Each structure stands twice: as C-alpha cells, then as structure tokens.
C-alpha cells in the first residue's frame, strides 16, 4: 500500500489546509481596515481597490509560469518557496502601514499576490496527488475549512486589534505572525511528502528485489537509462495546453467567473455593509464572518454528498443560481431607513458562503478529473491567469460604478450580471458540450474512464498497432507467460524441483509481464 493511502493522508490534508491560513487571513486585511487605510493614507476608493488589483495584476503573466515551475520542479518546491514569499510580502505590507507608505504597501501586495496565487496552485496539485476518485471532493471540502477560518478571524480580530492599538501597523504585523505559522506548516508538509516518496520507493525496491533477484546488473542500468529518457520526455511546455479538451476550457471559465463573483465583492464587503445596512466597522466585520464560517461547516458535507451521488453538472447549475440570488438580495433588500432590520444582511452573506462552498467542492475537483497529473500545475496556472484578470478588473469596475452612482445597489446588480454570464457557461456543458462533459456526472469519473478504456482495448487491438516483428514478439511473450503460469509450483515426491528452479520461474514470469506491460502501454 502506498504511504499516501494510509491514515497519514489526513495529516497531510490538514497541513495542506493550514498552509493557506496565513494567506487567507492576510489577503483581506485591507477589507477589514478599509476606512482606516483610506483615512490614514489619504486615498480614495479607487486607490484602495488598487491594493487588490495590484495583487492580481502580476498573476496575469506569472501563474502559467508558476504552474509550469510546480510541474517541473515539484509540488514540494512550490509549497516551500511560495509560503516563504507570502510571509515576505506581508512583512513589506506591514512596514508600509507602519511608515504610512502607500507605494510600499502596493509593492508588498504585488509580491504577496504572486506567491499567494501560486501557493493555491501548489496546494491543489498536492491534493490531487494524495487523493483520487471518490475522495477528491471530500478532501477539497476539508481543505476549505481552515483557510476560510483565516478569513473569518481576519474580519473578527483585525478591527478589534486596530481599535485597541489605534495603529495601522499592529494588525498588519499580526498577519505576519499567521504567515510564519503557515510557513512552518508548509515545511512539515514538504517533509511528509518527501517521506512518502521514500516509503513508496522502499516498498517498490523490496518487491523488485524479491522478483528480480537473478537479473544482471547491466539490465538494471539499461532500465535506469530508459527511465531517464522517459522523464526527459515528460518536460512541461506551453504546447501541453493544446492537450486540454474543450470541456476543460469551459470549466476554467466557469471557475474564473465563480471566483470573481466572490472575492472581488468581499474586497469592499465591510464598507458595503456599513453603507447599505448602517453597520459599524466592527459590526460589519462580525457580519462578514458568516460568509467565511459557512463554508467551514458545510464544505465537508457537500464534498461527501457530491462524491457519493455524482451529477456534478447539476451541482454547478445550483452553485451559479445561488451566486445570482445572493447578489440579487444584496441589491434589492431594503435599507434600515426603509424599515428593514440591520441583520437583513445575514441572508445574502450566508448564501454567498454556501455558493463558495459548492464552488470549491464541485467545480475545482472537476478540473482535476479531466487534466493529466503531469500538467495539473500548468492547468491550474492557466486558471489562475483567468482569475487574476477578473480579480484585477472587477474591483476597479465596481469602485467606478460606486463613484458614478454613489449607491452600492448598482454594485450588487453588477455582480449579479456576472453570475448570469457564469450560468450561461454552465449550461454550455449540457447543451453544447454534453458528450464531453457527461463523464462529470459519474460517481468516480477517473475509475469509470479507466474501466471503459480497458474494456474497449483487447489483445487483438493492441497487437494491431504493432509492427509484424513486434506482434510476433508480443504473442510469443503472451504464450510464455501463460505456460509459466500453468506450471505447478507444488512438486511430488518423485520429481522434486530445486529452489533455484522456482526462483528462475518466478523471475522469468515477472520479466515477461513487465515487457508485455510496456508493449501494452505503447
């Protein structure tokens, strides 16, 4: 059994969640301190939202590169490096807050953003290595809990820390502490994943020695050379993007619009709640906690249900509708001046959290089901590119809408419109790409796909792809294996086999099996 299939995988998924705790806590620091930042630095709402746009702008160009780096240098390198850079970026932001330097805060947000998006790519790639098939959505549900807890803690603690200290730098340096904690969790996760590789290698080596105890040294060296040649062929390039199916491209767009409905809106959620529902800074922060806490409680349940029943395209439609309804409520709910209670904001905030939980447990795993493992990081890097474009543009557009109308209702309608566009892409999976996306409705798309491929491929079809000489060798190997399998290992008292003969028989059988497997895989 692989180490990644043991109970240690639950520790791995917990650490994978914790590496984003500091990231998510720090990401929304500006949202929780929007009024204070604008007053202390003397900036307007467009300059404030630039703190989020500059976070996303570099990723338009660098997430693809980050994904390729993760595929080429490994997920462990990505986790260690990007958790470190996230910490450095947040430290620069805190220094900018201490010295009231807006430009320094912009620089820190840019550095933080590059590492943050690539850290999410590394995390998603890591989860796809440790969890497969019917466990994937459940794992993503667990992954969601801790990072969203970071966002909730930020909305709760950051305004309180500022009110007690009356200094902008103090809550920002607290965020640096959270990032250091996530960096330590990343270091432990890297060690655990490295140990898993060594454990699996020892298991493979022991099996190899058992079955190959009479193979010559030269043959082993030839196998190592072949493995190196195969590894060299697995180098990642932008040409691999051509292998992505149309279904994957549609899913990438769905994930992009879904995330851009959620995160850019929360960039101004604190001030939104203050002006729309007459809440104070602290009360607005407490209300927004609902959006962060909801995925923590419902994501594991949603992931478990989706893994058990399938029908992921239907769940996507439900997710899109929930996004639309939540923003529609933000736009049309009456204000307290119109007789509505202040806590009316709880309903759309709760629905927004449920929508995000469905996004994480349904849409993200669908991408992992349809993309080869070796280019998983590149695919997520491409998705990060699209999401960064939206995260860069949408905050500026929403702030311009607010400046023009002076009413956050119009902002709600704007995000509802994006949700409608997202719903069109989801429906495309049913009416335009029905044949390509129907695999997503299966309980385990990976297993069903492999079973279908194996059942449709017979020995005759494999042999037909070979040359005449290879075909004869293939048939000969098949017959030799069958003859070896038919030889009895028990011997009677008259003809007693020597132990060496038994070892020879087992070794030859294994060698023939390995060669036929290589031919089958061609």
């Amino acid at each position: 059994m692989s180490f990644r299939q043991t109970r240690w995988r639950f520790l791995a998924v917990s650490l994978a969640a914790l590496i984003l705790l500091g990231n998510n806590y720090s990401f929304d620091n500006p949202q929780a301190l929007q009024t204070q930042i604008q007053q202390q630095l003397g900036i307007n709402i467009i300059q404030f939202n630039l703190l989020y746009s500059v976070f996303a702008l570099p990723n338009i160009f660098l997430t693809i590169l980050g994904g390729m780096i993760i595929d080429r240098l490994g997920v462990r390198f990505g986790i260690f490096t990007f958790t470190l850079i996230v910490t450095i970026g947040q430290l620069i932001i805190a220094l900018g807050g201490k010295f009231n330097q807006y430009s320094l805060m912009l620089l820190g947000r840019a550095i933080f953003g590059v590492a943050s998006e690539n850290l999410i790519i590394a995390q998603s790639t890591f989860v796809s290595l440790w969890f497969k098939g019917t466990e994937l959505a459940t794992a993503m549900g667990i992954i969601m809990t801790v990072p969203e807890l970071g966002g909730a803690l930020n909305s709760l603690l950051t305004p309180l820390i500022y009110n007690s200290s009356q200094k902008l730098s103090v809550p920002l340096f607290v965020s640096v502490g959270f990032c250091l904690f996530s960096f330590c969790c990343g270091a432990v996760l890297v060690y655990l994943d490295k140990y898993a590789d060594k454990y699996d290698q020892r298991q493979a080596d022991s099996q190899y020695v058992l079955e190959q105890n009479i193979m010559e040294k030269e043959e082993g060296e030839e196998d190592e050379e072949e493995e190196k040649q195969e590894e060299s062929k697995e180098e990642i390039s932008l040409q691999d993007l051509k292998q992505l199916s149309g279904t994957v491209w549609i899913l990438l767009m769905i994930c992009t619009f879904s995330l851009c409905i959620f995160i850019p809106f929360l960039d101004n959620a604190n001030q939104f709640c203050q002006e729309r529902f007459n809440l104070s800074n602290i009360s607005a922060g407490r209300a927004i906690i609902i959006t962060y806490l909801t995925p923590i409680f419902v994501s594991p349940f949603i992931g478990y249900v989706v893994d058990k029943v399938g029908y992921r395209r239907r769940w996507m439609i439900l997710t899109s509708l929930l996004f639309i309804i939540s923003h529609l409520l933000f736009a049309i709910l009456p204000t307290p001046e119109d007789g509505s209670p202040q806590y009316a904001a709880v309903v759309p905030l709760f629905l927004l959290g449920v929508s995000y939980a469905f996004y994480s447990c349904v849409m993200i795993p669908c991408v992992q089901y349809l993309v080869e493992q070796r280019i998983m990081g590149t695919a997520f890097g491409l998705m990060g590119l699209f999401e960064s474009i939206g995260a860069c543009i949408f905050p500026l557009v929403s702030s311009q809408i607010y400046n023009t109308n002076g009413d956050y209702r119009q902002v709600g309608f704007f995000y509802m419109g994006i949700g409608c566009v997202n719903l069109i892409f989801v429906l495309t999976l049913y009416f335009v790409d029905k044949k390509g996306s129907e695999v997503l409705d299966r309980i385990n798309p990976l297993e069903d796909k492999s079973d279908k491929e194996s059942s449709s491929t017979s020995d005759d079809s494999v042999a037909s792809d070979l040359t005449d000489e290879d075909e004869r060798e293939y048939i000969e190997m098949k017959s030799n294996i069958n003859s070896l399998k038919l030889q009895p290992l028990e011997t009677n008292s008259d003809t007693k086999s020597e132990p060496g003969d038994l070892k020879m028989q087992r070794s030859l059988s294994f060698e023939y099996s390995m060669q036929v497997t290589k031919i089958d895989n061609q």
Side-chain angles (χ1 to χ4, degrees), residues 164-294:
S164 62
S165 64
Q166 293 299 313
K167 292 182 179 179
L168 185 61
S169 60
V170 174
L172 296 178
F173 276 109
V174 171
S175 297
V176 176
F178 275 92
C179 291
L180 282 173
F181 172 75
S182 291
F183 172 73
C184 294
C185 292
V188 176
L189 184 62
V190 167
Y191 173 80
L192 184 64
D193 190 67
K194 188 174 181 179
Y195 178 82
D197 282 346
K198 290 182 178 180
Y199 178 90
D200 291 347
Q201 186 61 45
R202 287 198 300 268
Q203 292 291 99
D205 288 344
S206 62
Q207 182 67 22
Y208 180 83
V209 171
L210 179 64
E211 299 289 351
Q212 297 281 13
N213 58 350
I214 64 168
M215 289 191 66
E216 297 180 354
K217 181 179 180 180
E218 291 77 12
E219 295 179 27
E221 293 176 351
E222 290 176 0
D223 289 339
E224 291 178 359
E225 292 177 359
E226 290 177 0
E227 290 177 0
K228 292 179 179 179
Q229 291 176 359
E230 290 177 359
E231 290 177 358
S232 64
K233 293 179 182 178
E234 295 297 316
E235 294 182 359
I236 307 301
S237 68
L238 291 177
Q239 297 296 324
D240 291 310
L241 296 180
K242 295 180 180 180
Q243 300 178 11
L244 300 180
S245 64
T247 306
V248 174
W249 287 98
I250 295 174
L251 282 173
L252 292 179
M253 296 306 299
I254 292 172
C255 292
T256 298
F257 281 107
S258 297
L259 193 66
C260 289
I261 294 170
F262 182 77
I263 291 181
F265 174 80
L266 288 180
D267 295 346
N268 302 116
N270 191 288
Q271 191 177 50
F272 185 101
C273 290
Q274 290 182 52
E275 295 199 14
R276 279 286 284 120
F277 303 102
N278 290 345
L279 298 175
S280 65
N281 182 39
I282 295 179
S283 297
R286 290 173 178 171
I288 296 170
I289 291 176
I290 296 172
T291 303
Y292 292 110
L293 290 180
T294 300

Side-chain angles (χ1 to χ4, degrees), residues 348-359:
L349 287 173
F350 171 76
L351 289 178
L352 193 62
V354 174
S355 304
Y356 186 68
F358 273 105
Y359 158 79

Side-chain angles (χ1 to χ4, degrees), residues 27-35 37 48 52 151 154-155 266-271 274 281 284-285 288 292:
F27 171 76
D28 265 340
N29 274 168
Q31 171 265 124
L33 298 169
Q34 179 172 354
T35 303
I37 290 175
F48 171 81
Y52 284 97
N154 169 69
S155 295
L266 288 180
D267 295 346
N268 302 116
N270 191 288
Q271 191 177 50
Q274 290 182 52
N281 182 39
I288 296 170
Y292 292 110

